[in-house]
Amino acid sequence: MSNKITFGLRNVHYALATFTEDNWSFDTPKELIGAQEFSSELVGGTSQVYADDKILHTLVSNSGQTITLKLTELSDEFKKDIFGYIEDKNKNLIEVTNAEVKTFALGYEIQGDTKARRVWYFLCTATPVGQATKSKADSIEANSVSLTITARPIEINDKEVIRVIASKGDTNYDTFFDAVTLPTIEG
């Protein structure tokens, strides 16, 4: 049975990615608390090849995805791991503008109706975030922060792979967020 609707976003994780000697490796995933919304858009598109007064072929380009992840707050740990923030001797958090932004894997779960799909995007980079807040008024509205993330493909067996999706019942479902594991693609 396939999902007819999707709802719910939870279990957001990230894992630092490191490239050494033609291979990517991933650190132990860490939970990213406070996820409110996830959306993605294709980087690429289609174009038509016309010949003999008709569409002869459609060219499709898929270079990755641009992701927007909205959170209640961005953890200090994520800021240090991904954006290169540091702490001073007073434990103050310091933003370093010339720090190297790190590549990471991004995982999350869509509750859905039957599948409760879990996803890992393998090679992600995020744009540093700005800050916004407002005063309390007659009602209180919580602040949020939005990450803009670019997910690009990773090469596995001559195939450009952007993400892996596991559903309830898959053999790795229960351990999916324990580690980032690249899929095995035969052929």
Side-chain angles (χ1 to χ4, degrees):
M1 177 175 176
S2 66
N3 273 9
K4 303 242 185 293
I5 60 170
T6 59
F7 56 87
L9 170 64
R10 64 183 189 179
N11 286 330
V12 175
H13 288 74
Y14 72 95
L16 282 170
T18 306
F19 187 75
T20 54
E21 299 181 30
D22 298 331
N23 290 314
W24 284 97
S25 62
F26 300 90
D27 289 357
T28 301
K30 297 177 181 178
E31 196 166 6
L32 194 52
I33 304 294
Q36 294 180 318
E37 189 176 327
F38 175 96
S39 63
S40 68
E41 291 185 30
L42 176 70
V43 176
T46 61
S47 61
Q48 313 303 334
V49 177
Y50 290 87
D52 300 322
D53 289 337
K54 63 183 176 183
I55 297 174
L56 181 69
H57 190 70
T58 300
L59 301 173
V60 178
S61 171
N62 181 351
S63 299
Q65 293 184 26
T66 300
I67 296 167
T68 302
L69 178 61
K70 185 176 175 183
L71 303 153
T72 55
E73 180 60 60
L74 194 56
S75 73
D76 290 351
E77 186 174 30
F78 185 88
K79 290 175 184 176
K80 290 188 270 186
D81 288 346
I82 304 305
F83 296 132
Y85 281 49
I86 58 174
E87 286 185 2
D88 70 6
K89 66 178 181 168
N90 297 314
K91 301 291 185 191
N92 299 146
L93 193 61
I94 301 168
E95 181 177 5
V96 180
T97 60
N98 64 344
E100 178 186 353
V101 175
K102 301 287 179 28
T103 299
F104 61 98
L106 177 68
Y108 63 93
E109 180 179 329
I110 299 172
Q111 185 63 32
D113 58 356
T114 58
K115 294 184 177 185
R117 289 170 286 189
R118 293 179 173 178
V119 177
W120 275 117
Y121 282 89
F122 297 112
L123 300 180
C124 298
T125 51
T127 304
V129 295
Q131 194 92 27
T133 192
K134 51 193 158 235
S135 181
K136 289 192 311 184
D138 292 339
S139 62
I140 298 173
E141 187 177 327
N143 295 320
S144 62
V145 70
S146 291
L147 280 176
T148 300
I149 300 168
T150 301
R152 64 186 191 277
I154 188 171
E155 188 174 321
I156 302 172
N157 244 13
D158 293 326
K159 300 207 182 318
E160 298 289 319
V161 176
I162 190 75
R163 63 184 172 159
V164 63
I165 305 165
S167 298
K168 271 188 182 174
D170 291 352
T171 56
N172 65 335
Y173 186 83
D174 291 336
T175 59
F176 195 74
F177 293 128
D178 293 349
V180 178
T181 305
L182 295 177
T184 302
I185 301 174
E186 296 182 21

